[in-house]
Amino acid sequence: MAEVSGTAEFGLGKGKVFPADRAGSLLHPARRLVQSPRRTVRATALGSGAAVLELGCGPGFFSPFIKDAIGSGPLVLLDLQLPMLRLARQRTCGGPGIVSVQADGAALPFTERCFDAVFIATVLGELLDPGACLDDVHRVLRPGGTLAVAETRRDSDFIAASPLRELAESHGFEWRARRGPRWQFVATFRSTR
Ligand SMILES: C[S@@+](CC[C@H](N)C(=O)[O-])C[C@H]1O[C@@H](n2cnc3c(N)ncnc32)[C@H](O)[C@@H]1O
């Protein structure tokens, strides 16, 4: 049964926030076979030393691979749910340069232009207002910075590449590429001013 907290509704259905008590399914070894976190992160071409925000990190399925890609660059893990952040920190071994922040992805507690890239995997479809989230992502990205969005049809909140492109383009992003098939891809965008 869905649990309602504040304005967010938790549950497994469409448009609901994926609950922390089901985090284990996001880390299930079978997921790695169909959605390799290493290949997904590699497709975003994050540069070594980049400052990266992982928005809606959940239990950190992708986080260690982002950290590997950016090396000494700072990584901010952000999620609405504290138990998710705890799991993500465990997976990244709380390494140096990793900060976790509990916040709403549509009200980011960061100054303007402080990230080189923002990585968002299977989150946007859960948000009440994904456009508001992208506006804020645009604000915290440096001009020319990268927005990477990973989506999979296995997720009930899947957003296909074409509506995703339309949404991002209407919030200040320029389409760059889609890697992977239509049912599971990483789309990259460039922040424009
Ligand atoms: C389906 S999980 C995906 C987690 C992770 N990105 C992954 O692919 O394994 C969605 C995550 O987004 C988070 N989330 C949903 N709405 C959010 C919001 N408004 N602000 C921040 N995080 C949010 C949830 O708490 C959950 O951890």
Side-chain angles (χ1 to χ4, degrees), residues 17-18 26 31 54-59 61-62 78-81 84 103-106 121-123 126-127 155:
V17 176
F18 193 94
L26 295 171
R31 184 180 179 192
E54 185 183 3
L55 194 157
C57 61
F61 180 68
F62 295 101
L78 180 140
D79 204 282
L80 206 52
Q81 303 178 78
M84 289 292 204
D104 183 345
T122 65
V123 176
E126 290 186 12
L127 304 184
D155 179 19

Side-chain angles (χ1 to χ4, degrees), residues 11 17 22 41-42 45 48 64 69 76 80 94 100-102 118 121 125 128 133-134 143 162 168 172 189:
V17 176
R22 300 298 295 268
V41 170
R42 199 180 292 146
S48 174
V76 177
L80 206 52
S100 48
V101 176
Q102 184 185 20
V118 176
L128 293 173
C133 172
L134 291 183
S162 138
F189 300 87

Side-chain angles (χ1 to χ4, degrees), residues 17-81:
V17 176
F18 193 94
D21 60 7
R22 300 298 295 268
S25 68
L26 295 171
L27 295 176
H28 195 282
R31 184 180 179 192
R32 253 179 270 147
L33 301 176
V34 289
Q35 191 180 29
S36 156
R38 189 179 300 283
R39 276 202 303 276
T40 303
V41 170
R42 199 180 292 146
T44 65
L46 294 173
S48 174
V52 177
L53 167 65
E54 185 183 3
L55 194 157
C57 61
F61 180 68
F62 295 101
S63 314
F65 298 90
I66 298 175
K67 190 59 198 163
D68 279 356
I70 62 178
S72 61
L75 170 62
V76 177
L77 305 172
L78 180 140
D79 204 282
L80 206 52
Q81 303 178 78

